[in-house]
Amino acid sequence: MKGKTAILEGSRAVAEAVCACRPEVISVYPITPQTHILENLARFVASGRLKSQFVRADSEFSAASVVYGASATGARAYTASASQGILLMTEVIYAMASTRLPVVMTVVNRTVSHPITIQPDHQDSMSLRDTGALQIHVESLQEAYDAHVQAFRISEDPEVQLPLLVCMDGWVISHSYEPVTIFPEEAVSEFAGTFKPVQKLDPDKPLTYGSYADQDVLMEYRYALMRAQDRAKEKIRSVAAEYREVFGHFDGDLIDTYCTEDAEMVLIAMGSLVSTIRAAIDELRAEGRKVGLVKVRTFRPFPKEELLEACGKVPLVAVLDKSLSVNMGGVLATEVKSAFYGSPNQPIIVPFMAGLGGKDVNRRIIKEIVDIACRKAEQGYRERETVWMGLNYEFFGTEVK
């Protein structure tokens, strides 16, 4: 299907996608750098273009609670937030997932205070990794648009029924302008379909959500969440494939690979950093270095089998992280190591902290990461420590070397 390509801000592209999917309830609270999305949606509602209940809540906790309740009544629901706002929603997102109520949420990634800052990294969404919500991390403005169109179908599928977070790097994607192809609203609306809840709050058919549970069923609830995330894998694949068939766009399903077929080393990363890595790999390939890339698109469900298949014969892997599990290193690197544990072809895995708190990562730094990983592999790499790129040791005086 032919779309219309225009120069759009990333936040506007997301708002266009959400508008075309026609959520019945939108509830939000402003926080930088998410605010432009809700400003666009508010204008769409005020002009009559979008027929939604738009609730400007008094906090992120309230915004999440409103869409949680809306979903319980069978309404398609959407919200967005960032950083501390996401943390304020955390309790409700746990409840959404455990009660199997689908809500689509945009996470405009911004680091978590303290120190207070508005710089981007993945610390906020990684803090929600165990809530039970699905997480899709996008690389570009176009993928942000495409992923939101697909998100409602995935989240609301009767076999899934989970909140879905579409995560996009703050500023880099939310506030950049570049060509984005958007498709006719009617066609997008038809693709997104309508929410058909398996069950909902209905005075004529009373039921209970969120009731008290003891040890006889609580573990079973958690196991059901694990199974639902497993089932989401196939749904993410099938919706992405159908989207390509209808609209001609494809951003990968659980992972996306680049130059991995003959790679002697693979870089693994998420989000907008992936585009920089692609450009660096093109230059490295021109120099004769066989380096490839795996983009992790879905952090939840985590693509364990897909990573093993993509990197199973590669002797060296470098993982680039924008979030920190204190005293353990990068969150993505920890998950990647877990996926490879026990594999007969386990590669050397070198973790890098690159881009935390908005620290710049350019092609020169990517090439430096490749060189460092290769040197560590030659030396046997026994220390297992995370390599912090761009860390200013003078900041610590003589305390740290």
Side-chain angles (χ1 to χ4, degrees), residues 104-381:
V104 171
M105 177 190 303
T106 306
V107 177
V108 185
N109 288 113
R110 183 188 121 184
T111 196
V112 176
S113 299
H114 191 73
I116 189 166
T117 178
I118 57 173
Q119 295 297 329
D121 65 26
H122 296 158
Q123 198 68 46
D124 51 2
S125 54
M126 290 298 101
S127 299
L128 270 61
R129 61 180 168 169
D130 298 325
T131 59
L134 308 172
Q135 287 194 26
I136 294 178
H137 287 253
V138 302
E139 172 187 350
S140 66
L141 280 67
Q142 184 65 59
E143 188 179 1
Y145 173 87
D146 296 336
H148 279 84
V149 174
Q150 297 169 36
F152 290 95
R153 284 270 303 274
I154 299 165
S155 172
E156 296 168 357
D157 186 89
E159 294 294 313
V160 179
Q161 297 186 90
L162 289 172
L164 191 157
L165 317 182
V166 181
C167 306
M168 52 191 278
D169 289 348
W171 309 112
V172 180
I173 297 179
S174 63
H175 285 62
S176 294
Y177 284 78
E178 65 180 33
V180 180
T181 300
I182 62 174
F183 298 99
E185 277 196 33
E186 289 300 325
V188 172
S189 178
E190 182 179 350
F191 181 87
T194 56
F195 179 27
K196 298 175 182 176
V198 176
Q199 53 193 12
K200 63 179 182 179
L201 293 178
D202 184 344
D204 296 329
K205 298 178 181 178
L207 56 82
T208 299
Y209 274 109
S211 59
Y212 180 78
D214 268 330
Q215 69 277 11
D216 56 333
V217 295
L218 200 141
M219 188 183 290
E220 284 72 14
Y221 267 86
R222 297 290 184 262
Y223 184 72
L225 271 178
M226 294 275 289
R227 297 292 303 274
Q229 288 234 349
D230 287 340
R231 290 194 296 271
K233 286 187 172 183
E234 186 51 41
K235 194 62 186 177
I236 292 166
R237 287 194 187 95
S238 64
V239 171
E242 186 179 339
Y243 191 81
R244 174 167 55 183
E245 185 176 336
V246 174
F247 298 108
H249 285 192
F250 185 70
D251 303 299
D253 39 52
L254 303 177
I255 64 170
D256 187 21
T257 60
Y258 186 67
C259 296
T260 55
E261 293 78 9
D262 62 344
E264 296 171 351
M265 173 188 178
V266 164
L267 302 172
I268 298 177
M270 299 191 302
S272 61
L273 179 58
V274 168
S275 295
T276 306
I277 296 175
R278 287 180 201 276
I281 285 177
D282 288 343
E283 294 179 2
L284 288 164
R285 286 267 166 177
E287 298 169 5
R289 304 184 69 174
K290 294 182 177 179
V291 180
L293 162 70
V294 173
K295 174 175 81 173
V296 172
R297 186 166 180 264
T298 63
F299 186 76
R300 285 292 183 271
F302 195 74
K304 299 182 287 290
E305 295 80 8
E306 292 74 15
L307 281 176
L308 290 174
E309 183 176 353
C311 304
K313 297 180 181 178
V314 177
L316 177 59
V317 167
V319 185
L320 282 62
D321 252 298
K322 285 186 170 184
S323 62
L324 174 65
S325 177
V326 177
N327 201 36
M328 279 299 293
V331 176
L332 178 60
T334 302
E335 302 277 327
V336 170
K337 289 177 184 176
S338 176
F340 277 103
Y341 180 76
S343 167
N345 299 314
Q346 183 170 338
I348 293 174
I349 301 173
V350 185
F352 289 85
M353 192 60 61
L356 191 69
K359 183 83 78 175
D360 188 34
V361 182
N362 54 32
R363 286 174 293 171
R364 177 187 61 76
I365 293 175
I366 298 298
K367 293 177 183 178
E368 190 177 345
I369 286 172
V370 170
D371 290 339
I372 293 172
C374 289
R375 284 200 302 272
K376 286 186 174 293
E378 290 171 1
Q379 296 164 2
Y381 187 54

Side-chain angles (χ1 to χ4, degrees), residues 56-78:
R56 203 282 210 181
D58 62 1
S59 72
E60 287 88 351
F61 183 88
S62 296
S65 299
V66 168
V67 293
Y68 178 31
S71 182
T73 67
R76 174 169 284 177
Y78 170 82

